[in-house]
Structure formats: C-alpha cells, structure tokens
Amino acid sequence: MINAALSTFGAQVVLATSSDENHPPENITDGKTETFWMSTGMFPQELIIRFPDNMKVSLISVHSFNVKRLRIEKNAQEEADKFEVVAEKEFEQTENGLQINDITLDGSTATHLRFLILSGYDHFVSVHKVGVQA
Amino acid sequence: MVKLRARCIIVGDAAVGKSALSQMFRSDGGHFQKNYSMTAGVELLLKSVNIPETSDSVGQYIFDSAGRETFVGACEKMWGQPSVVCVVFDITSLASFNSCSRWLERVRAHCNGLQVPGVLVGNKSDLSSRREVEAAVAQEWAQSQGLQYHETSAKDMENCDAPLLSLAQAFYSLYQDRRQMIQGLG
C-alpha cells in the first residue's frame, strides 16, 4: 500500500496553504514522485489529507525537497480539527535527489493527517509523494 | 496563476522615511504622512504586487521596523526568516548611508545562509539641494552587495512603487528558478 497512490483509496488533500496551479496539492496523492506540490513562500506551511474512512496508520513515507522540520498531527473525527501531534522530525538536506523519509507511528486510526512544515532549507519546498502503510 | 508570499524586512536609521515609504507602498502612492511619528516596534503591512505580463503576484508582508537603536533588539525577534530586504537611507544624510552595511548585516544574520533578494533605497530625493550622498556612490555600493538601487521621494510620491516591484520580481524569479530545478529531480 505504501507504493500505491493515496488517491486510489479516496484520500484527498483538503487544505494546502500554498497553490501554484502548475503544482497543485493533488500531486501529493497521485503516487508519482515526478509531480509535486510546491510551497510559495514563508513558513510554516500546512497540508491536510483526509481519508474516506478511519484508517490504521503505522508508517508514513514522505518524498520531499528542502523540507527541514516537519510535524505530523492526526485526528480520528469527521471534522478537520482537534489534532494531536504524532511525530516531529528534522529531515536531512539533499543536494541532487529527493528527501525520502519514513516516519513510524503507533498504528492507531486516523481520518485526517496534518503536515506542518515548520522550516525549510530554502525559501520554497516541495512535497512529491506521501505514502501510508496500515 | 501563482501567489507567492514574501516576508519583506524594511530597515535603516531612524527618520530616513521607512514608515512614510511603507505607507506609500501600501497605498500605491496615495498617502504621505506629513507628521513624523517614531516607530517604536514593528508595523506589519500587507501589499500584493502583480508581476507584469503574468497573472502571478507576490503578497508582501512588510515589516516596517524601528530604526532607533533602543528598539532594534526587540524588533529583530519579529523578523523571523526574511524573504527579501529593503535598506533605506536619507540622501541628505551621509551618516544614514554609512549605517546601511550594518543594517544589511543584521538582517542577513537571520537568513540562515539563504540568498535573500534586496534593494537599497535612497529616500527624500525631493531634497536634492541638500544631497550628501551621490547616486553613483550609492549605486556602486548597492551593486557590490547584490542590491538593486532606487531613489524615491515619499513626499513627492516619486518612484515609490519601484523598490517593492523590484523585490517582488527578484523573489518571483527565485521561485521560477527553484521550480525548474525541482522539476528536474522527481
């Protein structure tokens, strides 16, 4: 499942704090690393992904570029509010390729995942793919 | 269509006209504040700048920061990570020009080593009879620091849109540059 596109399971990005119409947030859930969402200036940046049902999440993999500090929050409700922090990580900088990071969670259920990009290695950062393992 | 967002830090000695210029930026040259009122902290103004010949724009969060030394420490904490910088001096005050390198250093110390586009602005160009800083000298120093030079008169509403436009364009081309680079990675 980690290699499949999240969008095939009905997951969608319901909030993104930046939008360039050439690099929309849907690019994160299409399962491809060639397409990406790009932030358009200033931090923090926020993304919220909604799953159609409660989903067990034990691992999240993120393909990105120039992201420095990332915080992940989740909730298990219908509304996208009242999130709890489940992980915070500082990514290493890469030069000629994407950052690929796996973040292990406790396997409890979620309806929404919220990604807060707190800082970056550049003015602009990109997220190419988010994969989830149940 | 892309809407970029930039944190624009305005610095320079006290009374060179940073707030008058900021108001000009925001009001598109419609409002000049005649009476001096010292800025004691940071004033935040928001101005969207369109990039000519595109449908794209840059939303500038303008941090008009106090020039008086007493307040600088407190102001610096508000700057966060700057996207662009605007250093202002008064063309009738050599001292204010000489301070510019110190102001620039201060802002750059917050940039985490990132390339930050900047402009140098010689304000009060209406007072050219009392000029102490030649445009050529300012231009040369600006160039040595990688800054674009503009002269403005907030009072006469002269050239006031130039600094913000040039910052927006520089930030925009930085974005396009990075976008292309990332496109080659995936």
Side-chain angles (χ1 to χ4, degrees):
Chain A
M1 190 152 169
I2 194 123
N3 291 315
L6 275 179
S7 58
T8 58
F9 302 96
Q12 51 176 324
V13 181
V14 290
L15 181 140
T17 47
S18 282
S19 72
D20 177 338
E21 62 186 3
N22 296 308
H23 303 281
E26 298 89 86
N27 286 353
I28 295 170
T29 51
D30 66 3
K32 299 182 203 146
T33 56
E34 300 82 43
T35 61
F36 56 92
W37 165 84
M38 186 147 165
S39 79
T40 58
M42 308 214 309
F43 294 98
Q45 293 283 338
E46 182 177 339
L47 292 162
I48 297 179
I49 296 176
R50 172 186 287 158
F51 302 118
D53 300 302
N54 249 339
M55 191 156 142
K56 280 204 170 89
V57 181
S58 59
L59 188 97
I60 297 174
S61 82
V62 180
H63 286 64
S64 58
F65 191 66
N66 272 333
V67 172
K68 192 172 183 189
R69 200 148 192 94
L70 176 74
R71 182 188 297 159
I72 301 178
E73 303 179 348
K74 63 148 214 178
N75 84 1
Q77 296 163 336
E78 272 191 32
E79 307 293 320
D81 65 353
K82 299 201 181 82
F83 283 87
E84 52 170 310
V85 180
V86 288
E88 189 167 324
K89 194 171 174 182
E90 187 157 321
F91 290 178
E92 283 189 29
Q93 189 172 17
T94 52
E95 299 266 316
N96 301 314
L98 299 180
Q99 298 166 305
I100 304 170
N101 286 277
D102 288 343
I103 297 140
T104 315
L105 303 185
D106 63 2
S108 60
T109 58
T111 50
H112 297 90
L113 287 177
R114 180 191 198 186
F115 297 82
L116 274 163
I117 302 167
L118 303 172
S119 59
Y121 290 104
D122 197 359
H123 295 288
F124 311 106
V125 301
S126 57
V127 179
H128 298 242
K129 183 183 167 185
V130 170
V132 170
Q133 197 169 58
Chain B
M1 191 181 74
V2 192
K3 284 183 180 168
L4 302 186
R5 274 184 229 115
R7 224 173 227 276
C8 172
I9 313 295
I10 302 196
V11 290
D13 278 0
V16 297
K18 296 182 294 300
S19 300
L21 265 178
S22 305
Q23 293 296 338
M24 279 292 160
F25 292 159
R26 192 191 53 173
S27 64
D28 284 322
H31 178 73
F32 176 65
Q33 197 182 327
K34 288 199 184 69
N35 296 319
Y36 178 65
S37 142
M38 187 177 68
T39 307
V42 174
E43 278 193 55
L44 177 62
L45 303 151
L46 185 58
K47 170 73 186 166
S48 176
V49 180
N50 295 318
I51 303 296
E53 286 153 38
T54 69
S55 56
D56 304 336
S57 62
V58 179
Q60 301 256 19
Y61 293 70
I62 302 169
F63 288 68
D64 172 24
S65 203
R68 181 119 358 238
E69 202 57 42
T70 327
F71 305 119
V72 175
C75 291
E76 282 194 40
K77 292 190 175 70
M78 319 278 285
W79 293 349
Q81 185 168 317
S83 312
V84 295
V85 56
C86 174
V87 186
V88 186
F89 71 97
D90 169 355
I91 63 153
T92 71
S93 157
L94 183 60
S96 74
F97 176 65
N98 290 335
S99 299
C100 288
S101 65
R102 191 169 42 87
W103 283 113
L104 191 59
E105 259 169 51
R106 262 189 176 137
V107 176
R108 283 189 173 152
H110 291 261
C111 297
N112 298 319
L114 288 189
Q115 178 193 346
V116 171
V119 289
L120 176 69
V121 177
N123 191 32
K124 310 197 188 178
S125 62
D126 51 290
L127 300 176
S128 57
S129 60
R130 284 161 45 195
R131 182 187 279 276
E132 288 186 3
V133 184
E134 290 308 319
V137 175
Q139 175 83 54
E140 194 182 333
W141 182 77
Q143 209 162 11
S144 74
Q145 297 298 315
L147 307 174
Q148 295 248 26
Y149 183 59
H150 298 282
E151 286 201 355
T152 58
S153 164
K155 179 172 166 286
D156 289 353
M157 303 172 186
E158 196 62 48
N159 207 29
C160 288
D161 55 344
L164 217 54
L165 180 61
S166 111
L167 286 173
Q169 280 174 320
F171 196 62
Y172 182 72
S173 66
L174 198 63
Y175 176 77
Q176 296 299 354
D177 205 63
R178 296 302 191 269
R179 199 170 74 89
Q180 272 176 13
M181 196 265 284
I182 293 173
Q183 207 130 33
L185 286 178

